[in-house]
C-alpha cells in the first residue's frame, strides 16, 4: 500500500501562494476583458476591428502576465529581509519597497522590491534586479535590440516612427541613436566575423558532391561615404529641430575601404565575411591581417582568389598574406583605363575610338595582355595628354601582367570582375549611408557599417549578445 502524499507546511504555503498569484492574474484578465468589451461599440465587429482592439490593449495583458510571473518565480528576492554587504560583510536590513518600471517588448513592467544599502561602504544592491539581470537603462535589452534592428536599416527618425507603430512603445531618436552607438562601440572585424566552424560549414556545403575545391574570392574595393567633420558637432545628433547647421561645415566624400570574402556556388554567391570602414590603407590591411591570423581562412580547403583594382596597398597585402592565391585585376577597372586612352587618343574620331577600345578589351578578354602592351608601345600619341595616358596604361598593364590573364580566370571558373564587392558596397554602405541630406561623422558611419557587416555575416546576434554581456558586467 502506498502512502498518501503528505504535504509539508512549506508545500502547502507554496500551493496557496501560487493559487493567490493565479487568482490575481485571473482578476486582471477579467478586468482586461471588460476594457476590451468597452472598446468595441459594434456588437458584430469585423475581424479587423477585433484584432485592432486586442492589439491596442495587448500590452496591458502581457505586462500583467509578466508581472505575475516575476512575482511567482522570484519570491525569494521579493521577500528578502536581510543581505550581506558585498564589501564589508555587514548584515543589512531591507529597505523600501521601492518601485521601478522597466520597458520590455511586452510592455512596461512595474516592479516593487526591497533594496539594501550599506551606509558605511555607500553601496546599494537590489536582489530582484540582479536575479532578473536588469540593465540600468529603462529600456531593457530586448527593446534595445529591436531598435537597432531598425536603425541599422533606415534613418533614425523613420526607425522610431516604425518602432512605435509596431511595438506600441515610445522611442526617441536620441535614445535610438544612443543605443545604436552603444551596441556598435568598439566592434572590430573579428567581432563581426563568423567563427572558423561556421566558415568551414559554408565551404563544406558548397563543396559537397564536387570534385574541385570551391573558389573563395577575396574582393577588395572602396565605396564613397558622405562624411561631416567633427567640428560640425555641438548639438545632439538625431534631434529633428536641432541638427548641426549645414552652413558651418562642408561635407566630404570619403572612401570606406572594404573587403569581402565570398564563395562561388554555381549561379550564386555565398556570403562569408565582409568588413567595410572609413579607414586608412594601413588599417584596412591590418584588419585583413587579423582575419588571416585568427585562422578564419582555410586556404587548403578552397581555391583562394584575390580580385581588386590597381591600388598598391591591396596587392602588397594580398601577396604577403595569401601568397598562393590567384590574383585577378578587376576587368571593369581595367576597361576604364583603356577607355581613357581611347578617348584621349581617338577623341576626334568616335568610330576609331570605339574600334580600338573594343579590340583592346577583346584581347585582354582572351588573355593577350602582351599584344595590347605591344600595340600601345607602337601607338603615335595625338598630343601630350594622350602620350601621358598611354604611358600610364602601359605601366599599369605591365605592373599587373600576371593578374590580367582573364582567359585562364574564365577557364578556372574564377570571376573576372569585382561585381561581388560592388554589390556589397551597395547593400552594406550605400543603402544605409547614402541618403539625401545625410552626412555622417566618421565614428558613427563606421559603427553603422560594422552593424551592417555583422548583419550580412550572420553575426549580429553575437554582437548584440556581447553588448548585453558588457551591460551585465557594468550593472553587476
Ligand atoms: Zn558595507
Amino acid at each position: 500500500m502506498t502512502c498518501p502524499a503528505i504535504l509539508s507546511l512549506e508545500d502547502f504555503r507554496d500551493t496557496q501562494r501560487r493559487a493567490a498569484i493565479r487568482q490575481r492574474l485571473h482578476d486582471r484578465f477579467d478586468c482586461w476583458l471588460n476594457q476590451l468589451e468597452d472598446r468595441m461599440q459594434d456588437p458584430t465587429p469585423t475581424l479587423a476591428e477585433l484584432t485592432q482592439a486586442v492589439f491596442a490593449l495587448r500590452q496591458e495583458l502581457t505586462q500583467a502576465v509578466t508581472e505575475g510571473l516575476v512575482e511567482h518565480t522570484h519570491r525569494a528576492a521579493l521577500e528578502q529581509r536581510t543581505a550581506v554587504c558585498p564589501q564589508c560583510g555587514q548584515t543589512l536590513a531591507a529597505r523600501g519597497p521601492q518601485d521601478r518600471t522597466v520597458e520590455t517588448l511586452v510592455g512596461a513592467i512595474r516592479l516593487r522590491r526591497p533594496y539594501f544599502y550599506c551606509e558605511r561602504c555607500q553601496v546599494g544592491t537590489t536582489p530582484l534586479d540582479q536575479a532578473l539581470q536588469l540593465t540600468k537603462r529603462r529600456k531593457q535589452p530586448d527593446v534595445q535590440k529591436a531598435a537597432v534592428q531598425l536603425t541599422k536599416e533606415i534613418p533614425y527618425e523613420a526607425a522610431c516612427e516604425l518602432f512605435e507603430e509596431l511595438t506600441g512603445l515610445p522611442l526617441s531618436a536620441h535614445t535610438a541613436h544612443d543605443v545604436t552607438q552603444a551596441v556598435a562601440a568598439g566592434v572590430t572585424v573579428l567581432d563581426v566575423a563568423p567563427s572558423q566552424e561556421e566558415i568551414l560549414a559554408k565551404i563544406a556545403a558548397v563543396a559537397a558532391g564536387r570534385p574541385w575545391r570551391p573558389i573563395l574570392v577575396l574582393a577588395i574595393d572602396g565605396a564613397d561615404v558622405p562624411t561631416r567633420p567633427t567640428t560640425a558637432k555641438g548639438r545632439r545628433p538625431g534631434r529633428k529641430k536641432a541638427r548641426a547647421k549645414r552652413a558651418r561645415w562642408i561635407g566630404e566624400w570619403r572612401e570606406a575601404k572594404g573587403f569581402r570574402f565570398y564563395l562561388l556556388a554555381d549561379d550564386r554567391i555565398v556570403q562569408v565575411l565582409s568588413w567595410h570602414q572609413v579607414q586608412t590603407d594601413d588599417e584596412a590591411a591590418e584588419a585583413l591581417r587579423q582575419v588571416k591570423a585568427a585562422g578564419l581562412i582555410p586556404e587548403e580547403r578552397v581555391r583562394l582568389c584575390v580580385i581588386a583594382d590597381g591600388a598598391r596597398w591591396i596587392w602588397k597585402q594580398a601577396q604577403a598574406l595569401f601568397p598562393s592565391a590567384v590574383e585577378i585585376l578587376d576587368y571593369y577597372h581595367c576597361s576604364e583605363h583603356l577607355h581613357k586612352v581611347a578617348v584621349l587618343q581617338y577623341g576626334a574620331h568616335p568610330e576609331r575610338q570605339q574600334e580600338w577600345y573594343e579590340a583592346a578589351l577583346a584581347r585582354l578578354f582572351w588573355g593577350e595582355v602582351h599584344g595590347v602592351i605591344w600595340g600601345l608601345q607602337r601607338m603615335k600619341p595625338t598630343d601630350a595628354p594622350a602620350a601621358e595616358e598611354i604611358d600610364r596604361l602601359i605601366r599599369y598593364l605591365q605592373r599587373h601582367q600576371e593578374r590580367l590573364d582573364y582567359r585562364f580566370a574564365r577557364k578556372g571558373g574564377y570571376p573576372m570582375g569585382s561585381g561581388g564587392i560592388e554589390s556589397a558596397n551597395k547593400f552594406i554602405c550605400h543603402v544605409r549611408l547614402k541618403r539625401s541630406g545625410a552626412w555622417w561623422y566618421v565614428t558613427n558611419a563606421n559603427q553603422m557599417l560594422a552593424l551592417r557587416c555583422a548583419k550580412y555575416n550572420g553575426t549580429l546576434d553575437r554582437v548584440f549578445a556581447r553588448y548585453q554581456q558588457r551591460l551585465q558586467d557594468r550593472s553587476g
Side-chain angles (χ1 to χ4, degrees), residues 155-158 160 172-178 228 235-244 441 444:
Y156 285 100
E157 305 278 344
C160 292
S172 72
H174 178 61
T175 303
H177 215 279
D178 267 7
R228 62 166 83 181
R235 293 214 167 111
R236 288 205 159 126
R239 283 196 175 167
K240 211 171 199 170
K241 286 173 191 155
R243 285 251 169 88
Y441 294 117
N444 296 356

Side-chain angles (χ1 to χ4, degrees), residues 85-90 92 118-123:
C85 171
Q87 288 193 12
C88 69
Q90 189 191 329
L92 310 169
C118 179
E119 302 279 357
R120 198 189 297 165
C121 307
Q122 302 200 328
V123 185

